[in-house]
Amino acid sequence: MKIIGVVGLGNMGRGMALSLQRGGFTVLGFDPSPAAGAALAEAGIGLRASVAELAREADALVLSLPTSQVVEAVVNGADGIAANGREGLIVVDTSTADPQSTRKLAVTLREKGIALVDAPVSGGPKGALNGALTMVLGGSAHDIARIEPVLAAMSAKRVHIGDVGAGHVTKLINNLMCAAHLVIAGEAMRLAKAAGVAPEQVLEGLNAGSGRSGVTQTNYPTWILNDAFDSGFTMKLMRKDVRLAMALAEQAGTLATGPLSAEVGRLWAASAASVGDDEDFNRIVQFIEPGRA
């Protein structure tokens, strides 16, 4: 693994490309937006004009894309990976995506002698830039061992969950829980304020006890209490992830027995009427449904 191609050079892909470069790899990149690659070209990342070019040159491809539909187009299009990738290529999909789509794409690529590992990430743009992401992995042990040096250059922690698709299942469950924690933490901080106690002090107590979560320990002090709301992850992306989690629960037959999950899905969908897609995803803590105030 010497030449790594990165498809998608947005907030996350840009950081991953630079981390791979620092790790000693020759890094090539593609993004349909010329502006996305401009700064990377100055940093020595070799830009290519199409996914096809990357698939022909690279030993491995890292995908950092917004939706399963985009991933499918990148894999199945005429200029895509399946039609142009050489045998032995390995594809690492860091997107948060539909596990069923991922499994179908893995079959398509396997027929071409190309392996797929789903490796959705946590840690945001800062983690991508610093090579400090957390990855949950789906794929064969053989393929993950092959790609380990590439994964290590981008991440500080990696957990192999199971076969292809297992990483995406885990990531959707993680984001569903984060979505729920944000909702309940927002309600809890409103309760604290109404009860005459400073939210900052309540958080300190919560984080010393069993009520703590990643939201109370990280999101609130980093992006919420200071009104920064600049995590780099949008409401649109989190709503997409929550929708995928709801679809997964419905497919698995657990939605009817998961009333809290269903309510979290409903609240995130309802928030679209007043909290814009481009807002930081932590803004959900401020959402109060009309008629409840």
Side-chain angles (χ1 to χ4, degrees):
M1 296 289 166
K2 296 181 180 179
I3 302 174
I4 313 301
V6 180
V7 182
L9 303 175
N11 287 338
M12 297 297 292
R14 179 168 58 251
M16 286 188 275
L18 292 171
S19 290
L20 287 164
Q21 184 187 56
R22 286 196 311 274
F25 296 99
T26 297
V27 183
L28 310 176
F30 168 77
D31 194 288
S33 168
L40 287 178
E42 293 180 5
I45 305 296
L47 300 184
R48 295 296 183 264
S50 67
V51 174
E53 289 185 34
L54 285 185
R56 295 185 194 114
E57 292 185 60
D59 301 312
L61 291 178
V62 175
L63 310 184
S64 180
L65 301 168
T67 66
S68 290
Q69 289 75 18
V70 176
V71 174
E72 289 172 7
V74 163
V75 171
N76 293 326
D79 287 332
I81 298 168
N84 297 279
R86 54 189 176 79
E87 188 172 351
L89 178 68
I90 188 162
V91 178
V92 178
D93 182 14
T94 69
S95 315
T96 300
D98 178 356
Q100 286 194 335
S101 172
T102 301
R103 289 165 177 151
K104 289 177 183 177
L105 292 177
V107 172
T108 298
L109 290 171
R110 193 179 304 125
E111 291 171 352
K112 304 288 185 176
I114 300 170
L116 175 64
V117 170
D118 49 308
V121 297
S122 298
K126 183 177 179 180
L129 184 60
N130 295 333
L133 295 168
T134 295
M135 292 179 161
V136 284
L137 307 174
S140 74
H142 172 72
D143 290 334
I144 289 172
R146 284 177 59 208
I147 203 68
E148 169 61 19
V150 175
L151 302 179
M154 298 186 291
S155 62
K157 185 173 183 179
R158 297 165 295 286
V159 181
H160 184 191
I161 305 298
D163 292 335
V164 170
H168 281 146
V169 168
T170 305
K171 178 61 172 173
L172 291 181
I173 292 171
N174 177 85
N175 282 18
L176 173 61
M177 293 185 72
C178 179
H181 293 164
L182 280 164
V183 169
I184 191 60
E187 292 182 5
M189 293 307 101
R190 286 194 291 275
L191 172 58
K193 190 173 181 179
V197 181
E200 294 86 348
Q201 298 307 116
V202 170
L203 279 169
E204 186 175 348
L206 291 174
N207 289 334
S210 60
R212 66 187 181 274
S213 68
V215 165
T216 62
Q217 291 178 312
T218 300
N219 297 50
Y220 255 89
T222 307
W223 301 301
I224 299 173
L225 287 178
N226 58 6
D227 287 324
F229 293 104
D230 59 355
S231 70
F233 193 66
T234 65
M235 289 291 295
K236 180 178 181 179
L237 289 173
M238 190 55 143
R239 285 190 186 108
K240 179 264 295 183
D241 293 351
V242 172
R243 285 196 302 271
L244 285 174
M246 292 296 98
L248 179 65
E250 187 168 8
Q251 293 158 10
T254 66
L255 193 58
T257 56
L260 289 179
S261 295
E263 180 65 4
V264 169
R266 188 191 70 77
L267 286 169
W268 274 83
S271 71
S274 57
V275 187
D277 277 350
D278 292 335
E279 292 279 3
D280 187 87
F281 83 114
N282 290 290
R283 288 282 185 192
I284 194 69
V285 301
Q286 300 175 332
F287 174 65
I288 299 174
E289 277 194 289
R292 291 185 181 271

